[in-house]
Amino acid sequence: MADVTFTVDGKQITAPAGTLLIDACKSAGIEIPAFCYYPGLSLQAACRMCVVRIEKMPKLATACTTTVAEGMVVATETPEITQARKATLQLLLGNHPLDCPVCDAGGECELQDMTFKYGAADSFYTEPKNHREEQNWSPVVYFDRPRCILCYRCVRMCGEGMDVFALGIQNRGSSAVIAPNIAPSLSPDNLAHLDCEQCGMCIDACPVGALTSGAYRYKTRPWEMNHVTTVCTHCGDGCKTTLGVRSTSDGAEIVRGDNRDKSGINGDFLCNKGRYAFDFANSQERITTPLVRQPNGDLKPVSWEEAFTVAGKKLRELRDTRGGKSIGVIGGNRLTNEEAYLLQKFARTVLGTNNVDHHRTADYVTFTQALAGQKGRTASWNDTKSYPAVLIVGGDPTNQAPGTAWNLRSDVRLNKARLYVANTSEIKLRRQARAFLQVAPFGYGALAGYLAGDASAASNAALDPTALGGFLEAVKGEEKLLILIGSELRGADLKRLIEFGLTIPGAKFALLSDYANSRGAADMGLLPDMLPGYTPVPTPGPFTEHNIPSEPGLDLLEIFDAAAAGNLSALYVVNSNPVARYGVDPAALKDTFVIVQEMFLTETAQLADIILPAANLYEKSGSVTNSYGDLQLVQKAGDRSGVRSDFEMIVRIADKMGADVKALVPFGKGLRADMGQSRGAQSGEADRHAVWLTANNLEPKLSPFDPWAILDEIQRLVPGYDLLRLQLLSGNDQHLEPAAAAATASRRDLVLPSGDGLFTSGTLGRFSPALNDVQRYQAGEPLIQIQTAAD
Amino acid sequence: MPTLVSHPDEVKVISRRFGQGAADIDRYLELDGYKAVQKAIAEGPDWIINVMKASGLRGRGGAGFPTGLKWSFVPKQSEKPKYVLVNGDESEPGTCKDHVIFLHDPHAIVEGTMIAGLAIGAKMGFIYLRGEYRYLLKIVEKAVADAYAKGFLGKNIFGSGIDFDIVTQSGAGAYEVGEESALMESLEGKRGVPRIKPPFPAVVGLYGGPTVINNAETIASVPHILLMGGEEYAKIGSERNGGTRLFGISGHVERPGVYELPMGYNLKKAIYDVAGGIKDGKKLKAVVPGGSSCPVLLPEEIDVGLDFDQMGKAGTMLGSGGIVVLDETVSIVEFALRTISFYQHESCGWCIPCREGTDWIKKTMTRIYNGGGNKKDAANIQYLAENMMGRTFCPLGDAAAMPTLGFIKKFRKEFEEYIEGNKAGTPIITVQQLVGAH
Amino acid sequence: MSIVRNAAAIAKGMSVTLKEMFQPTEVENYPDGKGPMRGAKFQERFRGKHQLQRDENGLEKCVACFLCAAACPSNCIYIEAAENTEETRISSAERYAKVYNIDYNRCIFCGYCVEACPTDAITHGHGFELASLNATTLVMRKEDLLVLPSAHKLPDAVQSNKDTAEVLA
């Protein structure tokens, strides 16, 4: 829209017509206070804090409902306005309890800030405040009713943002109160409860401390924590999350997960898992000493030195006697890119084997190959916020990638985007869809065929084949179409769907996977036939310098087959649980020397000869790539004495095997001057010099345990990973497009979706008390029918 | 059925058919019923709007917006269906004018709704009655059913090829729903809270369609205006205030009741002449001239004409035409407390100044009334009311603040007597009600 | 002339000295004085070792709001908060201090913590004999700082000579 120019507090401001005055002022650096206004949600105009004086208007006007107009003259801070805001605060504080010292929001409370600014310190009343008991709505959401200022942000967030509508308002006037959707009279314990997705967005939106998080409440205060911004470890969306950390006697405990500055790729959003399920890191069941199996079968705690020595010696012996091809390596989906790259490099150069694999949750090889030679055809997660039309084939973002679902809902709500959903089941996103096509059971292949022009596939594609024509026409009619593909589509089906999409000039693609770094594991070449960047093993290209065996190795299932046949001398499992995941017979590994790096005593770890206690993604630094190929920085937040990062352990084992560590991790390169001279080591200031050096790839990597040394190599060798350091270090996301070579021969389909929903998260979920509580709550509350309530 | 009152000064336009059994459709037809709508069909929408503009009819709900102008704002072409809404949510304390119309002449409302529909090109009308008027709903429902039975409503009304339907709806008992956009929310089945304006109902109204919403009295005037002509109607009233209006005079007068007086009629005359003066020869203490939300007038201020402009100049409002007369025996503190208690009870809770302000004024006034007032209380009440004025989301906050300000300014002494003398009134509100109400 | 002036100045100075010789001594005889205070005297406002107070019900006043720790310029207060439950109620609000340590190696007795406290939970007592040969004993825990429940309430330290030395340390 055309720009208009107007005056605010004597300052000329230009903004697009139709912008809300409050937003336009904020962009110009003039802050207008508001409790009820929340960008992106519907307007409320209930708190009356944003009142401003607009010339030629009889009354004070609310800036949150006024759109800017040419020549408008606005005053935002005059004695009259200050008085109006002060009076509003006085009215609010009349009933608001003054328990700031106890309240969780104390220190980051908008009402506190406003009271501080406008000084509504006097009380006029002698009557007691209205008091109501606190309510425990669910294991993770508590509602302290007297603190509520009725801004309705939670109600709108839940209804409009989450499409759950679990919150509403009861009574009227001064008795009005926010209430959840299970009334006390309907609940077995006669208390009000929530039937919802437990995302906690209401807590995030609450400007005061009325809604508090069950995981964090009364534990500490905002300024007592260190706030570390990192990437959530749970699903493939890769939301940026801020972890509140405080030091304890055995490390650093994570006490809160939230979306503090909303600066990340996920915008406002964080789901239940990102918000509460950090607590697996604090679990008492974590392994904190290396364990080595004794001849009698017992696991004995040993020192790190001893564990590494045993592991290195044995691996070297087995490599030298039975050959590298008798060793298998399985990596995890929650390793950083650097660790995944290092692991495959270790396997291929130190062990000398291509028997490398990981638990695949989407067919990225086919995806990148089908898009070989195309530029700008892969979608960033950011595209889901703004693309005018979106087609989702397969998948269920609401449950598997809640952030994607949030973005799509917002896109539909705010940008009037057209959403097309094709799925075998009636997924929740169909409620936002312009068209929903129910795919026949196992019909995705047929659907891909139909879309690609094979009319004969129609009968197998949809439950109601007559609906196909209209659906196809509508999709084809889009000029800019974002095609999100679930992991159900693999191999030839996936290829055909992408070929169809490529006929739409403005189409972009994304393939959804299940874990924090599923995409990175594939990109970094944790595959038997692909080197990093989907470089085929027989034609190593840039990786020729590593002298990699030219034959593709065994895939994950073949590794276990080889073990069962007695042909696998050793298995090295890093942060993965293939035994439970693939239902491997434990007996298959009885003759195999198994090293497992793990947090917990999982099914795989129980079979290990050496267990090395590992750090999780919240306890290390590096980078991860989300489903869409957006690279983000991971920063170390928590710490637990007795665990080490997978990166460090791989290097130590390689060292103990007698490998050239400097060849494995090219450390010690870069600038060798200015050692700390210009750093703010004493003052505690941000080390800008170091940031600049690191950003320009000049930082001396003095330690072989420094992931940046490997990032240098990734940047140098992996096709498509030409990233910008400064972007990464600033905590911004950047979209990468690994350029694959054209398709190789047909490959075995090993994709196994994680099957995680809103309240599960693989191994991590099993050891997260918060998720277990929520699961129990969801199962125990007879009224909870998340399908119907949410539908 | 309450007895009807009359006075020679009355000009019977709307009340022409009162007391003549016009709730019966056949009787209504004998009394020129449904002639106006046929004339309207014959003459067309532009003619209707021109007549309405010429009549000078201003909305009888209280705001006094010219009706013809309001109708002309509705866009001629619209993607979404257009609607006519009749606001029969007459909830202002002291007001009982729509009540008599629904009781005595429901067909005038039905006919008026049809004419409004014709004027703006709507095919559907809604008659919304306040929840407490459930017994009147039966009468209105019967009138609508009878009109359908005669073929006046439904498909092809009066052979014109135009379809028109009317739906009746009862509220759930909220004063707030008298606000037009809150009424629409309520009609749509939602919580009755007002909407953000703009957009105004004429552009985006009920179910998102352009909507004309008029007070029941306004709508009931329409058939009469079309039959007598706009200019004729305008002549009855004062300048820029066309026609007549139903005034409900209540309180301490000899002959309380609903009188139809020409606009601009003198208030003093209405009280002392039309309503027969103060009951039992007592002295007049105060007059609330247009429903409880209008600032109070002192005896020396009542020599003023009853129209929108003159009342505005006198520092009060014509409001909904409910004149409440208070004699010398009335405790203004008690009356103010009763008034604010009503608004506190009816505040919807949407915005802070109204939700909290009415509550705290009520609590403070209750304390004063019960003899526990302290010196700052009167000033605090004034401070609260002044800070509610013009700051709330909808006019309810103003409606609560305006009379409070009026009482506290004009009867400050009486409040101070209560506070200083610790004079307690008859306890009407218990401590439990005050403290443990929630 | 200068000699006379100098001599006069010396005489003036010495007269002050001479005068003071006949005044009673003001030196405090700590630690060799009488009574439990051993000769120590100080003003009531003296800022000594902190005390954590209890309310009239014997519950701890501290609600673990961390404001004292935030106000502390030498960063010597360490708190861990926990939530009261129905079974175990430590403070009257929702939260209480599970751990409350003051590191007297670092404390500068500025009193900012007392000023910051919204519940008057932390106050300065008059304990001053804090010297120790072992620095670790100077990290005092909540048990060391908390006053005894009111039944055993002890008189304020300076008011009386009957105070025991334990009160102070």
Side-chain angles (χ1 to χ4, degrees), chain B residues 294-307:
Chain B
C294 302
V296 66
L297 291 177
L298 295 172
E300 58 268 29
E301 296 170 329
I302 63 168
D303 193 7
V304 58
L306 285 166
D307 68 29

Side-chain angles (χ1 to χ4, degrees), chain A residues 101-102 217-219 221 224, chain C residues 65-66 70 81 83 94-95 118:
Chain A
V102 181
R217 67 203 305 264
Y218 302 127
K219 274 197 179 147
R221 313 231 68 192
E224 282 291 311
Chain C
C65 74
F66 290 78
E83 192 179 350
E94 283 92 335
R95 189 170 50 210

Side-chain angles (χ1 to χ4, degrees), chain B residues 18-29:
Chain B
F18 286 7
Q20 301 185 47
D24 182 78
I25 191 161
D26 294 319
R27 178 73 186 132
Y28 182 73
L29 285 168

Side-chain angles (χ1 to χ4, degrees), chain A residues 688-702:
Chain A
R688 286 181 195 172
H689 192 78
V691 168
W692 183 87
L693 282 175
T694 316
N696 288 287
N697 202 5
L698 294 169
E699 173 75 355
K701 280 83 187 174
L702 291 175

Side-chain angles (χ1 to χ4, degrees), chain B residues 1-5 14-15 17-25 27-28 31 88 90 96-110 127 129 132-143 216-217 220 246 258:
Chain B
M1 205 175 274
T3 47
L4 286 165
V5 288
I14 309 169
S15 59
R17 304 192 192 98
F18 286 7
Q20 301 185 47
D24 182 78
I25 191 161
R27 178 73 186 132
Y28 182 73
L31 297 165
E90 181 180 56
C96 51
K97 59 190 180 61
D98 298 345
H99 173 264
V100 287
I101 303 174
F102 285 119
L103 198 60
H104 290 282
D105 201 6
H107 284 287
I109 305 236
V110 174
I127 301 174
L129 261 74
E132 291 83 347
Y133 281 177
R134 236 154 250 148
Y135 57 102
L136 295 177
L137 188 67
K138 286 190 190 125
I139 299 170
V140 181
E141 273 171 352
K142 183 176 179 297
E217 188 187 348
L246 295 175
V258 178

Side-chain angles (χ1 to χ4, degrees), chain A residues 529-733:
Chain A
D529 52 346
M530 293 285 161
L531 300 175
Y534 306 99
T535 312
V537 166
T539 52
F543 299 99
T544 313
E545 60 182 75
H546 290 160
N547 291 323
I548 290 162
S550 57
E551 284 292 303
L554 305 175
D555 64 34
L556 195 141
L557 292 184
E558 286 166 348
I559 288 173
F560 286 103
D561 289 346
N567 297 331
L568 195 73
S569 64
L571 178 65
Y572 183 25
V573 182
V574 178
N575 225 319
S576 184
N577 186 11
V579 170
R581 200 44 90 175
Y582 289 87
V584 175
D585 179 7
L589 290 170
K590 66 181 190 308
D591 295 329
T592 308
F593 177 69
V594 182
I595 305 173
V596 174
Q597 293 176 193
E598 215 1 302
M599 292 171 68
F600 303 104
L601 209 56
T602 60
E603 289 81 351
T604 310
Q606 284 164 18
L607 303 176
D609 295 287
I610 297 181
I611 304 172
L612 300 170
N616 59 60
L617 197 65
Y618 291 153
E619 294 165 349
K620 54 190 167 197
S621 307
S623 66
V624 291
T625 311
N626 74 1
S627 289
Y628 296 79
D630 302 322
L631 186 83
Q632 291 181 89
L633 181 71
V634 170
Q635 298 195 86
K636 179 173 170 146
D639 197 3
R640 185 78 179 251
S641 69
V643 304
R644 299 199 175 183
S645 74
D646 292 305
F647 195 98
E648 180 180 347
M649 291 191 276
I650 297 166
V651 174
R652 290 294 301 275
I653 290 174
D655 179 44
K656 290 291 181 190
M657 284 180 73
D660 179 6
V661 170
K662 208 153 186 173
L664 187 65
V665 184
F667 72 101
K669 294 185 179 166
L671 206 69
R672 284 165 194 276
D674 189 50
M675 295 307 300
Q677 292 171 40
S678 62
R679 322 270 166 103
Q682 294 299 321
S683 65
E685 285 168 19
D687 189 350
R688 286 181 195 172
H689 192 78
V691 168
W692 183 87
L693 282 175
T694 316
N696 288 287
N697 202 5
L698 294 169
E699 173 75 355
K701 280 83 187 174
L702 291 175
S703 152
F705 308 126
D706 187 350
W708 295 107
I710 282 292
L711 187 66
D712 288 347
E713 186 168 312
I714 292 174
Q715 207 172 349
R716 186 165 63 85
L717 295 180
V718 179
Y721 268 68
D722 41 356
L723 51 103
L724 295 166
R725 283 294 181 95
L726 202 54
Q727 281 290 317
L728 183 67
L729 288 166
S730 326
N732 296 335
D733 54 280

Side-chain angles (χ1 to χ4, degrees), chain A residues 397-648:
Chain A
T398 311
N399 285 305
Q400 295 157 359
T404 297
W406 165 273
N407 278 0
L408 294 176
R409 284 193 300 267
S410 306
D411 196 17
V412 170
R413 191 175 81 247
L414 303 174
N415 305 329
K416 308 261 183 293
R418 295 167 297 280
L419 183 64
Y420 304 96
V421 177
N423 206 298
T424 49
S425 37
E426 294 184 322
I427 63 168
K428 200 179 145 193
L429 272 176
R430 76 176 193 286
R431 305 208 306 185
Q432 278 73 35
R434 173 156 296 203
F436 171 69
L437 180 74
Q438 187 149 18
V439 178
F442 310 103
Y444 287 115
L447 178 68
Y450 176 82
L451 291 175
D454 177 8
S456 65
S459 56
N460 293 326
L463 280 188
D464 174 16
T466 55
L468 276 166
F471 191 82
L472 177 64
E473 280 313 305
V475 169
K476 272 184 158 171
E478 297 294 347
E479 285 178 4
K480 284 184 84 183
L481 182 69
L482 187 63
I483 303 180
L484 298 185
I485 308 166
S487 57
E488 293 93 331
L489 285 112
R490 305 152 194 167
D493 300 342
L494 176 59
K495 195 163 172 239
R496 215 175 308 167
L497 180 63
I498 292 175
E499 278 165 6
F500 156 73
L502 286 172
T503 61
I504 299 170
K508 278 189 179 184
F509 303 87
L511 181 61
L512 302 177
S513 54
D514 291 343
Y515 292 109
N517 206 22
S518 285
R519 175 65 182 266
D523 282 1
M524 290 301 122
L526 285 180
L527 293 163
D529 52 346
M530 293 285 161
L531 300 175
Y534 306 99
T535 312
V537 166
T539 52
F543 299 99
T544 313
E545 60 182 75
H546 290 160
N547 291 323
I548 290 162
S550 57
E551 284 292 303
L554 305 175
D555 64 34
L556 195 141
L557 292 184
E558 286 166 348
I559 288 173
F560 286 103
D561 289 346
N567 297 331
L568 195 73
S569 64
L571 178 65
Y572 183 25
V573 182
V574 178
N575 225 319
S576 184
N577 186 11
V579 170
R581 200 44 90 175
Y582 289 87
V584 175
D585 179 7
L589 290 170
K590 66 181 190 308
D591 295 329
T592 308
F593 177 69
V594 182
I595 305 173
V596 174
Q597 293 176 193
E598 215 1 302
M599 292 171 68
F600 303 104
L601 209 56
T602 60
E603 289 81 351
T604 310
Q606 284 164 18
L607 303 176
D609 295 287
I610 297 181
I611 304 172
L612 300 170
N616 59 60
L617 197 65
Y618 291 153
E619 294 165 349
K620 54 190 167 197
S621 307
S623 66
V624 291
T625 311
N626 74 1
S627 289
Y628 296 79
D630 302 322
L631 186 83
Q632 291 181 89
L633 181 71
V634 170
Q635 298 195 86
K636 179 173 170 146
D639 197 3
R640 185 78 179 251
S641 69
V643 304
R644 299 199 175 183
S645 74
D646 292 305
F647 195 98
E648 180 180 347

